[in-house]
Amino acid sequence: MNYANFPLDKRMPLPNSDAGDGEDFIDIERLLGMAARQAKVAAVCAIIGLFLGVLYLQTTPPKYASFSSVLIDEGLNKIVDDISAASVTMQTDSAILSQIEILTSTRLAAVVVDKLKLDQNDAFMNPPMSALAKGMGFVRGLIQYVHPGSPTVGGTDITKLDAATRDALIASSRRDYAILKLQSEIRAERTGRSYVIAIGYQSTDPALATAITKAYADAYLADQLDATFDATERAAVWLQGRLTELRQSSQAASLAVEKFRAEHGLAANSDGQLMSDKQLSDINAQLIVAQADTARASARYQQYKSIVDSGSENAFKDSAISSDQPSGSVIAGLKTRYLAVDKRLQDVEANYGSQHPQAVALAKEKADISAQIFGELKQLTESYRNEYEVALARETALKANVASAAGQSSADNQTQVKLRELDQQATALSTLYQTFLSRYEEAAQQRSFPVGKIRIISDASMPTGASSPRTTVVLGLSLVLGLLMGAGFGGLNEFNERFFRTGEDVRDRVGLKFLGYLPMIGGKLRKDEKPGEGEPDPKTAKSASAAERRARMRVSVDAPASMFSETLRSAKIAFDVVMEGHGSRVIGVISVLPGEGKSTVAANLAGLLAANGSKTLLIDGDLRNPGLSRGLGMEAEQGLMEAVVNGQTWQSVGKIDRQTKLAIIPAVARGHFSHTSELLSSAGMRRFIENAKETFEYIVVDLPPLGPVVDAKAFAPLVDGFVLVTEWGRTPRNMVQSMLRSEPYIANKIVGAVLNKVDLKKLAKYGSMGGSEKFFDKYSSYYLEKSDVRAKANV
């Protein structure tokens, strides 16, 4: 297949951006690789951070913190709370926060400033400053120096005041400044979820910190007592005025009740009940008893009346007579006689018959007794009828009395509604008066015995060690900040990475076949050499530099087992595969930027081909800057330009390497000649190349860079395939992409790209976890040692 004629859009497509394929949201391998590459940056930044931390520790004066704890304890004034209804129970977080606001208030700060005279204390007003604070003060001083203004205090120009007023104003301003400073520096925080508040102050003087903390705790305790006393005093004054009004109102209401009761005759007994109600209640009770008596008398009368109506015989046999009459009554005695006579009569009749005189006499006696019993029953019935009529008459009279009493009670009750209303009002006013009187007495007692709900549970003590700056925290924070800064710079470096580092970059970013890595050769001092020692004279130095350039051009010949040579062999295989079928192959070596080493690659590629026995011609096609000819140390009067212009063949200007039999066409720089592109695309150049094809299998042409000049584009029709040389870590990917898009004709003929001047020690950091870049040291036994290559290059 003719790769050179294969359309560009059918080959590997060019990506549109430098972004990765984005298959994974977080690429752990890539992050680890970035960390390994930027480890030195992070380490340097961490060291800088530690240095700044040490510098901060050395330039910052130590500060000492003193703490005191106060407890909001309601148990202290339990005695007062037991007699005072105005106690406040702090059970919410808002109450604790309110106490913290009191602690950090301007009023409390003013009390402490005045007590300790902090506005006259130089250690408080002008404490030692750190280097950072001094620097900021210096900057503010410069700003004030550039923009000076009239000295003012509180917005007043002090230059216009007399001495006494100015001194007083300055002293007042110092006090205000001290109050604001203390208020901003005092610390009051709640301890956990308890009712304990920790008060703390930090100063460069431990004695001053302790004194301020103690003064704050004492001032807070005194403020609480004063607040309690003031509140009690105000409550007592208000209650005293209110009591006079309530006393008068209560007395007026009581008098109104008694006057209304007297006017309407609503007298009451000892229980407070109206007389009409008491009378109605008593009559109702009597009526109930009378109704019961009437019912009982009626029942007994009706019972005896029915017995009498039934006749004497039935009356005698009725059992109600015996149960109703006592054993000593007349009827009971008659009934006993009747039974005895009846028994004797039955015995006589049984022995002597009913006609016996004794039987007749007993029968008559029995009849007389029965008549007597019936007569007694009639008398009892009449007596019971009289009792019933009396009970009924009494019940009727009581009913009439109840109706009369009920009417009177209803009238009294209607009047009593108003009386009850007046009485309730009088009672309410009396109760309110008693309550306020009790409150006043309690307030008076509490005023004479004020007790706050605050007590100090931990007094401030002299600090034994500095609280800040803390060495461990500062150094740890400095280290962390340094590492974060290093991570930021490292990330910035990775973000700015726009160059070729691995073969994947060549394949993925520009869509070209990657031919291999060409390690950096020569150009560095050996470890046993030191700059400035035994410097040779200029002639010797110039000779050594020329020898080094020539050795660099012959690495593939002098070190055929090196990695450099192996990469060029890989490129040769790619040419042979792509250009199979071509008799003679014209290979152009190009780059995007100058100085990427394309001349070195072209010379070594041609030398490798010639050393392998292939007839090879090396042409220096960079007519404006013939770096290949200079590198090979060729000083010729005639070169490629003269041969093409004069119509000569390669034999007239070519040089032959005695070792490899490589034919070389040098180039002679002509400062006045600038139409090199026309020369390279001329018919004479075509004839020159066609003539060379008759002799050589490979024609390697070192062409100028693609960016600055158009010579390579002009020579492109004569080339079968290009090798793109890109410098590792220097050639921008975007520039190569832009060139390939703008020059599709050249892009179609590029067989592959090599990465030149590769630092193999750093290359492993850019390779993926499973990439070949990580295992180059494993192949060291297959290559000539790098030191040997450099040694030969430095000959």
Side-chain angles (χ1 to χ4, degrees):
M1 181 180 67
N2 189 347
Y3 187 82
N5 296 327
F6 197 68
L8 179 63
D9 55 355
K10 298 296 182 62
R11 296 165 64 185
M12 186 179 297
L14 295 177
N16 294 326
S17 66
D18 287 345
D21 50 12
E23 293 179 357
D24 297 328
F25 180 69
I26 298 179
D27 192 342
I28 301 299
E29 293 185 2
R30 185 179 180 185
L31 292 178
L32 293 176
M34 292 170 59
R37 290 191 293 271
Q38 304 300 328
K40 290 184 178 180
V41 176
V44 170
C45 291
I47 294 173
I48 293 174
L50 286 175
F51 173 75
L52 294 177
V54 173
L55 183 63
Y56 174 79
L57 291 173
Q58 295 298 323
T59 58
T60 302
K63 291 185 177 182
Y64 301 87
S66 180
F67 295 94
S68 179
S69 299
V70 296
L71 172 65
I72 304 175
D73 189 0
E74 296 183 354
L76 280 179
N77 56 353
K78 185 177 180 181
I79 299 175
V80 179
D81 286 345
D82 289 341
I83 63 173
S84 174
S87 62
V88 179
T89 303
M90 297 183 180
Q91 297 178 348
T92 61
D93 292 339
S94 59
I96 302 296
L97 295 177
S98 299
Q99 295 301 312
I100 293 177
E101 291 298 324
I102 293 174
L103 275 168
T104 57
S105 64
T106 304
R107 182 166 60 88
L108 210 60
V111 172
V112 176
V113 168
D114 295 338
K115 179 180 180 181
L116 300 180
K117 298 181 180 180
L118 295 178
D119 55 334
Q120 303 175 15
N121 191 327
D122 190 64
F124 175 79
M125 298 294 290
N126 300 300
M129 295 187 297
S130 63
L132 180 61
K134 291 180 180 178
M136 295 177 64
F138 178 75
V139 172
R140 286 195 296 267
L142 289 179
I143 295 175
Q144 292 178 357
Y145 178 78
V146 174
H147 300 283
S150 298
T152 60
V153 175
T156 304
D157 189 357
I158 62 175
T159 59
K160 300 179 180 179
L161 302 175
D162 58 273
T165 306
R166 183 169 58 251
D167 293 341
L169 186 59
I170 292 175
S172 176
S173 299
R174 284 178 60 86
R175 180 178 180 274
D176 294 340
Y177 173 75
I179 292 172
L180 292 176
K181 184 175 184 294
L182 179 61
Q183 186 181 4
S184 63
E185 292 177 352
I186 195 69
R187 294 291 177 265
E189 298 178 356
R190 183 180 183 183
T191 304
R193 302 297 298 174
S194 66
Y195 285 86
V196 177
I197 298 178
I199 306 172
Y201 185 78
Q202 194 177 53
S203 174
T204 55
D205 185 359
L208 180 61
T210 305
I212 291 177
T213 306
K214 287 184 176 180
Y216 241 102
D218 294 339
Y220 179 53
L221 182 59
D223 180 78
Q224 292 294 314
L225 293 175
D226 292 341
T228 303
F229 179 81
D230 293 342
T232 306
E233 181 72 18
R234 289 192 298 270
V237 172
W238 183 83
L239 286 172
Q240 188 174 11
R242 184 65 175 151
L243 279 173
T244 302
E245 299 177 4
L246 290 175
R247 185 186 305 109
Q248 295 174 356
S249 300
S250 178
Q251 291 175 354
S254 299
L255 290 174
V257 170
E258 296 301 328
K259 183 177 180 181
F260 184 86
R261 180 179 285 114
E263 289 177 354
H264 294 82
L266 298 176
N269 56 14
S270 59
D271 296 335
Q273 189 177 9
L274 292 176
M275 296 302 296
S276 58
D277 290 343
K278 177 64 175 175
Q279 183 180 7
L280 178 61
S281 177
D282 292 342
I283 295 175
N284 279 328
Q286 294 177 14
L287 176 60
I288 292 172
V289 174
Q291 288 175 342
D293 293 342
T294 302
R296 185 169 54 254
S298 176
R300 188 164 48 187
Y301 166 67
Q302 294 296 333
Q303 181 180 16
Y304 274 84
K305 185 176 182 297
S306 62
I307 294 173
V308 172
D309 293 341
S310 63
S312 60
E313 292 296 331
N314 292 329
F316 177 78
K317 296 179 180 178
D318 198 314
S319 61
I321 298 175
S322 300
S323 61
D324 187 60
Q325 296 298 316
S327 58
S329 64
V330 177
I331 294 177
L334 293 174
K335 190 175 182 179
T336 302
R337 286 177 57 195
Y338 179 83
L339 293 175
V341 171
D342 183 63
K343 183 178 180 182
R344 288 173 57 196
L345 177 60
Q346 290 178 1
D347 291 340
V348 172
E349 287 180 349
N351 295 322
Y352 303 102
S354 60
Q355 298 301 322
H356 191 277
Q358 190 176 1
V360 173
L362 288 174
K364 183 179 179 182
E365 185 179 1
K366 176 179 176 183
D368 290 339
I369 294 173
S370 175
Q372 291 177 9
I373 291 175
F374 188 71
E376 288 295 331
L377 286 175
K378 285 182 179 181
Q379 291 179 1
L380 284 175
T381 300
E382 188 64 23
S383 174
Y384 288 150
R385 183 180 66 81
N386 292 334
E387 289 180 4
Y388 166 68
E389 290 176 354
V390 171
L392 182 60
R394 184 171 177 271
E395 178 183 354
T396 302
L398 287 175
K399 286 182 178 180
N401 292 335
V402 166
S404 177
Q408 181 64 35
S409 177
S410 176
D412 291 344
N413 286 335
Q414 292 178 4
T415 307
Q416 195 180 17
V417 172
K418 179 64 177 177
L419 177 63
R420 189 177 294 111
E421 180 182 354
L422 294 174
D423 187 60
Q424 289 176 352
Q425 184 178 0
T427 303
L429 289 173
S430 178
T431 303
L432 186 61
Y433 172 75
Q434 293 297 329
T435 301
F436 271 74
L437 181 61
S438 177
R439 292 277 184 89
Y440 174 74
E441 295 295 334
E442 293 167 359
Q445 292 294 329
Q446 191 171 3
R447 180 173 53 180
S448 62
F449 184 58
V451 178
K453 296 185 178 182
I454 306 300
R455 66 185 177 98
I456 300 174
I457 61 174
S458 176
D459 201 359
S461 59
M462 182 75 69
T464 58
S467 60
S468 70
R470 290 182 288 181
T471 304
T472 304
V473 175
V474 171
L475 293 181
L477 185 60
S478 301
L479 179 61
V480 172
L481 292 178
L483 290 175
L484 291 177
M485 182 175 64
F489 282 119
L492 185 61
N493 291 339
E494 291 293 329
F495 179 77
N496 292 330
E497 180 62 62
R498 293 293 182 267
F499 310 107
F500 291 102
R501 293 292 184 177
T502 63
E504 292 182 359
D505 293 340
V506 175
R507 289 188 291 267
D508 298 340
R509 307 295 184 180
V510 296
L512 296 177
K513 179 179 177 60
F514 178 63
L515 301 179
Y517 298 101
L518 295 175
M520 183 182 296
I521 55 175
K524 293 184 179 180
L525 293 173
R526 293 188 297 271
K527 294 182 179 180
D528 58 346
E529 295 179 349
K530 296 182 179 179
E533 294 183 359
E535 293 182 356
D537 56 72
K539 292 184 179 179
T540 305
K542 183 176 181 180
S543 176
S545 176
E548 182 179 350
R549 288 198 300 270
R550 287 194 299 271
R552 190 181 292 114
M553 296 294 184
R554 296 177 57 84
V555 171
S556 62
V557 177
D558 297 336
S562 65
M563 180 179 178
F564 193 95
S565 301
E566 197 66 25
T567 299
L568 294 180
R569 290 190 184 93
S570 175
K572 174 185 178 299
I573 294 174
F575 301 148
D576 294 340
V577 172
V578 173
M579 300 177 187
E580 185 179 1
H582 287 240
S584 180
R585 301 159 185 175
V586 181
I587 302 171
V589 181
I590 58 175
S591 66
V592 176
L593 297 174
E596 294 189 81
K598 62 176 181 54
S599 299
T600 302
V601 174
N604 280 279
L605 177 60
L608 178 68
L609 294 173
N612 290 339
S614 301
K615 295 180 179 181
T616 307
L617 175 63
L618 176 62
I619 301 175
D620 188 353
D622 193 349
L623 301 179
R624 302 190 189 190
N625 183 24
L628 176 63
S629 301
R630 287 195 301 268
L632 292 173
M634 301 180 67
E635 297 180 359
E637 295 295 331
Q638 293 185 343
L640 177 63
M641 182 186 300
E642 290 74 16
V644 172
V645 172
N646 299 328
Q648 301 174 3
T649 60
W650 69 271
Q651 292 88 347
S652 60
V653 295
K655 306 292 183 180
I656 303 298
D657 183 82
R658 290 186 301 236
Q659 181 180 357
T660 61
K661 307 304 180 183
L662 172 66
I664 305 172
I665 306 297
V668 180
R670 305 296 181 182
H672 62 279
F673 189 78
S674 59
H675 301 288
T676 55
S677 59
E678 288 83 354
L679 180 65
L680 291 175
S681 61
S682 64
M685 177 59 73
R686 184 178 294 277
R687 288 193 299 271
F688 184 84
I689 295 298
E690 292 298 332
N691 176 262
K693 284 184 177 181
E694 296 176 356
T695 304
F696 299 100
E697 301 176 34
Y698 296 96
I699 299 175
V700 180
V701 184
D702 179 24
L703 295 171
L706 293 174
V709 294
V710 297
D711 293 7
K713 305 172 188 176
F715 189 74
L718 303 179
V719 176
D720 296 320
F722 288 102
V723 176
L724 178 63
V725 178
T726 58
E727 184 173 349
W728 185 82
R730 181 173 176 267
T731 305
R733 296 192 293 255
N734 290 339
M735 191 173 185
V736 176
Q737 287 179 344
S738 177
M739 185 274 297
L740 293 179
R741 290 193 179 96
S742 61
E743 302 296 337
Y745 184 73
I746 294 179
N748 286 334
K749 288 190 174 184
I750 294 179
V751 176
V754 294
L755 286 179
N756 193 25
K757 301 181 183 181
V758 178
D759 189 341
L760 296 180
K761 292 183 178 180
K762 296 181 180 180
L763 178 61
K765 297 180 180 180
Y766 292 92
S768 59
M769 296 301 293
S772 60
E773 295 82 3
K774 297 286 186 181
F775 304 97
F776 276 157
D777 56 340
K778 303 293 184 181
Y779 301 100
S780 58
S781 60
Y782 290 89
Y783 301 133
L784 183 66
E785 291 294 332
K786 190 186 302 182
S787 59
D788 296 337
V789 176
R790 290 183 177 178
K792 293 181 179 180
N794 291 327
V795 173

